[in-house]
Amino acid sequence: MILSVLFSSITSRLSDKFNERESHILAYLLIKFLYGKEKYMVIAYPDEEIAVDEEELSGVIGRLLADEPVEYIVGEVEFYGCPFCVNRHTLIPRPETEELVDWVIREYRQGIWPGKCKILDIGTGSGAIALSLAHNIRFSEVIAYDVSEEALKVAQKNAVRQGVNNISFEWKDILAMDILPETFDIIVSNPPYVLENEKQAMQANVLEYEPPVALFVKDAVPLLFYEKIAALALSGLTDGGRLYFEINERFGMEMIRMLEKKGFSEVVLRKDLFGKDRMIRAIKNG
């Protein structure tokens, strides 16, 4: 089958579920995944012959039509300029989280820590936040926690793949900890923050495939992880150290009040690229 016909066949089979733009994006991704052909090759060499295993192709298209995220199908997603392996034990890193990472990096580069910087990422998943910070903050030492052993395996694989050596991964149940074992200049976390009552509004590709342990928190305690991490940060941050969170857009004001009540200063709430309250930063007083 020639590339142009393959591309048209895939987009046509996806068209009942996805719009034209989505179908084109997915078709290019599948062609790269199954046949190693980049988008520019599909465009520049439309008459190139490709050996197509119809059973394999139909199986992959069927998974997409059954709402499985394409990132899990191809096993990879780009985050902050680097490829990350992902699977159903990890969340799929999103653009909003890239904004959080960028905020941390930009503040660091303002010269807050002129020397070595020690960073803790709580709930690392695929390692997207931790590895991006390790890549981009010079002289950093990064430690990443997660309660999922399977997620930690993915994060470690990503560290090896990217050649990052200034990072270590540890299994930790943050809710069971009374104190952090060492102090850090930066603590960052994207913990579970989706309420159980928000499930009905979620898309099937998230609800049915991404790990619930990394997504959901009980309705009665929406700030459970934030309260715990903030409490640990009071002794676990160096004087002047910074605490960064990705948050549920519904609880921006509550987060500000909670952090200020615990004694943090210069609390800043930021909106994401969609205009939603999504990130917050606080500083530990010296």
mmCIF file of all heavy atoms in Angstrom, residues 49-73:
data_model
loop_
_atom_site.group_PDB
_atom_site.id
_atom_site.type_symbol
_atom_site.label_atom_id
_atom_site.label_comp_id
_atom_site.label_asym_id
_atom_site.label_seq_id
_atom_site.Cartn_x
_atom_site.Cartn_y
_atom_site.Cartn_z
ATOM 1 N N GLU A 49 5.853 2.784 -1.277
ATOM 2 C CA GLU A 49 5.161 1.555 -0.935
ATOM 3 C C GLU A 49 5.479 1.134 0.496
ATOM 4 O O GLU A 49 6.634 1.181 0.932
ATOM 5 C CB GLU A 49 5.567 0.437 -1.891
ATOM 6 C CG GLU A 49 4.957 0.551 -3.280
ATOM 7 C CD GLU A 49 3.517 0.068 -3.317
ATOM 8 O OE1 GLU A 49 3.055 -0.510 -2.318
ATOM 9 O OE2 GLU A 49 2.856 0.285 -4.354
ATOM 10 N N ILE A 50 4.442 0.722 1.226
ATOM 11 C CA ILE A 50 4.582 0.274 2.613
ATOM 12 C C ILE A 50 3.911 -1.094 2.747
ATOM 13 O O ILE A 50 2.788 -1.300 2.263
ATOM 14 C CB ILE A 50 3.907 1.261 3.591
ATOM 15 C CG1 ILE A 50 4.609 2.613 3.561
ATOM 16 C CG2 ILE A 50 3.907 0.707 5.016
ATOM 17 C CD1 ILE A 50 6.013 2.603 4.121
ATOM 18 N N ALA A 51 4.610 -2.023 3.408
ATOM 19 C CA ALA A 51 4.009 -3.325 3.693
ATOM 20 C C ALA A 51 3.102 -3.178 4.912
ATOM 21 O O ALA A 51 3.566 -2.843 6.001
ATOM 22 C CB ALA A 51 5.097 -4.355 3.954
ATOM 23 N N VAL A 52 1.828 -3.392 4.723
ATOM 24 C CA VAL A 52 0.843 -3.174 5.780
ATOM 25 C C VAL A 52 0.262 -4.500 6.246
ATOM 26 O O VAL A 52 -0.252 -5.287 5.436
ATOM 27 C CB VAL A 52 -0.297 -2.251 5.285
ATOM 28 C CG1 VAL A 52 -1.380 -2.128 6.354
ATOM 29 C CG2 VAL A 52 0.255 -0.880 4.921
ATOM 30 N N ASP A 53 0.365 -4.743 7.549
ATOM 31 C CA ASP A 53 -0.294 -5.885 8.179
ATOM 32 C C ASP A 53 -1.693 -5.411 8.585
ATOM 33 O O ASP A 53 -1.843 -4.696 9.578
ATOM 34 C CB ASP A 53 0.504 -6.350 9.393
ATOM 35 C CG ASP A 53 -0.097 -7.573 10.070
ATOM 36 O OD1 ASP A 53 -1.319 -7.736 10.036
ATOM 37 O OD2 ASP A 53 0.676 -8.349 10.660
ATOM 38 N N GLU A 54 -2.691 -5.773 7.819
ATOM 39 C CA GLU A 54 -4.043 -5.253 8.027
ATOM 40 C C GLU A 54 -4.595 -5.632 9.404
ATOM 41 O O GLU A 54 -5.290 -4.831 10.044
ATOM 42 C CB GLU A 54 -4.980 -5.761 6.937
ATOM 43 C CG GLU A 54 -6.404 -5.258 7.047
ATOM 44 C CD GLU A 54 -6.521 -3.748 7.062
ATOM 45 O OE1 GLU A 54 -5.758 -3.072 6.326
ATOM 46 O OE2 GLU A 54 -7.370 -3.223 7.818
ATOM 47 N N GLU A 55 -4.261 -6.797 9.885
ATOM 48 C CA GLU A 55 -4.747 -7.215 11.202
ATOM 49 C C GLU A 55 -4.152 -6.335 12.298
ATOM 50 O O GLU A 55 -4.857 -5.899 13.217
ATOM 51 C CB GLU A 55 -4.388 -8.682 11.460
ATOM 52 C CG GLU A 55 -4.937 -9.213 12.779
ATOM 53 C CD GLU A 55 -4.635 -10.681 12.983
ATOM 54 O OE1 GLU A 55 -4.127 -11.328 12.037
ATOM 55 O OE2 GLU A 55 -4.912 -11.206 14.079
ATOM 56 N N GLU A 56 -2.859 -6.050 12.187
ATOM 57 C CA GLU A 56 -2.197 -5.180 13.161
ATOM 58 C C GLU A 56 -2.778 -3.773 13.110
ATOM 59 O O GLU A 56 -3.090 -3.169 14.148
ATOM 60 C CB GLU A 56 -0.696 -5.134 12.885
ATOM 61 C CG GLU A 56 0.082 -4.214 13.807
ATOM 62 C CD GLU A 56 1.543 -4.098 13.406
ATOM 63 O OE1 GLU A 56 1.816 -3.939 12.193
ATOM 64 O OE2 GLU A 56 2.397 -4.148 14.303
ATOM 65 N N LEU A 57 -2.940 -3.241 11.897
ATOM 66 C CA LEU A 57 -3.472 -1.893 11.738
ATOM 67 C C LEU A 57 -4.900 -1.803 12.271
ATOM 68 O O LEU A 57 -5.238 -0.853 13.001
ATOM 69 C CB LEU A 57 -3.428 -1.492 10.266
ATOM 70 C CG LEU A 57 -3.999 -0.112 9.921
ATOM 71 C CD1 LEU A 57 -3.232 0.984 10.643
ATOM 72 C CD2 LEU A 57 -3.971 0.116 8.409
ATOM 73 N N SER A 58 -5.724 -2.769 11.967
ATOM 74 C CA SER A 58 -7.105 -2.754 12.446
ATOM 75 C C SER A 58 -7.169 -2.840 13.961
ATOM 76 O O SER A 58 -8.017 -2.205 14.595
ATOM 77 C CB SER A 58 -7.885 -3.927 11.828
ATOM 78 O OG SER A 58 -8.001 -3.770 10.433
ATOM 79 N N GLY A 59 -6.244 -3.611 14.545
ATOM 80 C CA GLY A 59 -6.205 -3.723 15.992
ATOM 81 C C GLY A 59 -5.895 -2.398 16.660
ATOM 82 O O GLY A 59 -6.531 -2.022 17.660
ATOM 83 N N VAL A 60 -4.942 -1.661 16.107
ATOM 84 C CA VAL A 60 -4.563 -0.372 16.672
ATOM 85 C C VAL A 60 -5.693 0.646 16.494
ATOM 86 O O VAL A 60 -6.026 1.395 17.425
ATOM 87 C CB VAL A 60 -3.258 0.138 16.023
ATOM 88 C CG1 VAL A 60 -2.988 1.581 16.432
ATOM 89 C CG2 VAL A 60 -2.087 -0.745 16.412
ATOM 90 N N ILE A 61 -6.294 0.673 15.325
ATOM 91 C CA ILE A 61 -7.412 1.594 15.086
ATOM 92 C C ILE A 61 -8.577 1.253 16.013
ATOM 93 O O ILE A 61 -9.235 2.147 16.571
ATOM 94 C CB ILE A 61 -7.844 1.546 13.613
ATOM 95 C CG1 ILE A 61 -6.757 2.181 12.731
ATOM 96 C CG2 ILE A 61 -9.176 2.274 13.410
ATOM 97 C CD1 ILE A 61 -7.013 2.070 11.244
ATOM 98 N N GLY A 62 -8.819 -0.029 16.227
ATOM 99 C CA GLY A 62 -9.875 -0.447 17.143
ATOM 100 C C GLY A 62 -9.637 0.036 18.563
ATOM 101 O O GLY A 62 -10.581 0.422 19.263
ATOM 102 N N ARG A 63 -8.394 0.041 18.987
ATOM 103 C CA ARG A 63 -8.064 0.550 20.332
ATOM 104 C C ARG A 63 -8.365 2.040 20.430
ATOM 105 O O ARG A 63 -8.886 2.518 21.442
ATOM 106 C CB ARG A 63 -6.599 0.257 20.651
ATOM 107 C CG ARG A 63 -6.302 -1.223 20.839
ATOM 108 C CD ARG A 63 -4.820 -1.512 20.843
ATOM 109 N NE ARG A 63 -4.168 -0.965 22.027
ATOM 110 C CZ ARG A 63 -2.832 -1.023 22.218
ATOM 111 N NH1 ARG A 63 -2.045 -1.574 21.301
ATOM 112 N NH2 ARG A 63 -2.315 -0.512 23.324
ATOM 113 N N LEU A 64 -8.062 2.788 19.385
ATOM 114 C CA LEU A 64 -8.387 4.219 19.379
ATOM 115 C C LEU A 64 -9.900 4.431 19.419
ATOM 116 O O LEU A 64 -10.397 5.294 20.148
ATOM 117 C CB LEU A 64 -7.815 4.887 18.132
ATOM 118 C CG LEU A 64 -6.329 5.238 18.136
ATOM 119 C CD1 LEU A 64 -5.921 5.745 16.762
ATOM 120 C CD2 LEU A 64 -6.025 6.283 19.197
ATOM 121 N N LEU A 65 -10.630 3.658 18.653
ATOM 122 C CA LEU A 65 -12.084 3.800 18.609
ATOM 123 C C LEU A 65 -12.728 3.371 19.930
ATOM 124 O O LEU A 65 -13.862 3.768 20.222
ATOM 125 C CB LEU A 65 -12.660 2.996 17.444
ATOM 126 C CG LEU A 65 -12.242 3.475 16.051
ATOM 127 C CD1 LEU A 65 -12.796 2.547 14.976
ATOM 128 C CD2 LEU A 65 -12.689 4.909 15.800
ATOM 129 N N ALA A 66 -11.977 2.579 20.726
ATOM 130 C CA ALA A 66 -12.470 2.169 22.049
ATOM 131 C C ALA A 66 -12.006 3.124 23.137
ATOM 132 O O ALA A 66 -12.062 2.795 24.325
ATOM 133 C CB ALA A 66 -11.997 0.749 22.355
ATOM 134 N N ASP A 67 -11.510 4.302 22.732
ATOM 135 C CA ASP A 67 -11.146 5.401 23.636
ATOM 136 C C ASP A 67 -9.778 5.253 24.304
ATOM 137 O O ASP A 67 -9.431 6.063 25.162
ATOM 138 C CB ASP A 67 -12.204 5.609 24.734
ATOM 139 C CG ASP A 67 -13.518 6.117 24.176
ATOM 140 O OD1 ASP A 67 -13.478 7.059 23.369
ATOM 141 O OD2 ASP A 67 -14.566 5.562 24.534
ATOM 142 N N GLU A 68 -8.996 4.253 23.931
ATOM 143 C CA GLU A 68 -7.659 4.161 24.526
ATOM 144 C C GLU A 68 -6.806 5.331 24.033
ATOM 145 O O GLU A 68 -6.767 5.605 22.829
ATOM 146 C CB GLU A 68 -6.981 2.842 24.165
ATOM 147 C CG GLU A 68 -5.635 2.666 24.860
ATOM 148 C CD GLU A 68 -5.047 1.279 24.676
ATOM 149 O OE1 GLU A 68 -5.735 0.397 24.131
ATOM 150 O OE2 GLU A 68 -3.881 1.087 25.082
ATOM 151 N N PRO A 69 -6.146 6.058 24.936
ATOM 152 C CA PRO A 69 -5.319 7.188 24.507
ATOM 153 C C PRO A 69 -4.204 6.756 23.559
ATOM 154 O O PRO A 69 -3.556 5.729 23.780
ATOM 155 C CB PRO A 69 -4.741 7.712 25.830
ATOM 156 C CG PRO A 69 -5.696 7.253 26.876
ATOM 157 C CD PRO A 69 -6.183 5.916 26.398
ATOM 158 N N VAL A 70 -3.990 7.536 22.530
ATOM 159 C CA VAL A 70 -2.949 7.190 21.558
ATOM 160 C C VAL A 70 -1.576 7.139 22.220
ATOM 161 O O VAL A 70 -0.693 6.377 21.805
ATOM 162 C CB VAL A 70 -2.965 8.183 20.367
ATOM 163 C CG1 VAL A 70 -2.521 9.576 20.800
ATOM 164 C CG2 VAL A 70 -2.092 7.669 19.226
ATOM 165 N N GLU A 71 -1.391 7.937 23.272
ATOM 166 C CA GLU A 71 -0.099 7.937 23.964
ATOM 167 C C GLU A 71 0.211 6.577 24.567
ATOM 168 O O GLU A 71 1.370 6.152 24.600
ATOM 169 C CB GLU A 71 -0.080 9.014 25.055
ATOM 170 C CG GLU A 71 -0.140 10.448 24.546
ATOM 171 C CD GLU A 71 -1.565 10.943 24.356
ATOM 172 O OE1 GLU A 71 -2.519 10.131 24.456
ATOM 173 O OE2 GLU A 71 -1.744 12.149 24.088
ATOM 174 N N TYR A 72 -0.806 5.886 25.072
ATOM 175 C CA TYR A 72 -0.592 4.542 25.611
ATOM 176 C C TYR A 72 -0.368 3.530 24.493
ATOM 177 O O TYR A 72 0.376 2.566 24.647
ATOM 178 C CB TYR A 72 -1.779 4.114 26.469
ATOM 179 C CG TYR A 72 -1.898 4.835 27.788
ATOM 180 C CD1 TYR A 72 -3.119 4.905 28.443
ATOM 181 C CD2 TYR A 72 -0.798 5.453 28.393
ATOM 182 C CE1 TYR A 72 -3.252 5.567 29.664
ATOM 183 C CE2 TYR A 72 -0.922 6.111 29.598
ATOM 184 C CZ TYR A 72 -2.148 6.165 30.229
ATOM 185 O OH TYR A 72 -2.267 6.824 31.436
ATOM 186 N N ILE A 73 -1.025 3.741 23.376
ATOM 187 C CA ILE A 73 -0.868 2.826 22.244
ATOM 188 C C ILE A 73 0.562 2.886 21.700
ATOM 189 O O ILE A 73 1.210 1.860 21.487
ATOM 190 C CB ILE A 73 -1.887 3.142 21.144
ATOM 191 C CG1 ILE A 73 -3.306 2.851 21.650
ATOM 192 C CG2 ILE A 73 -1.598 2.318 19.884
ATOM 193 C CD1 ILE A 73 -4.410 3.293 20.703
#
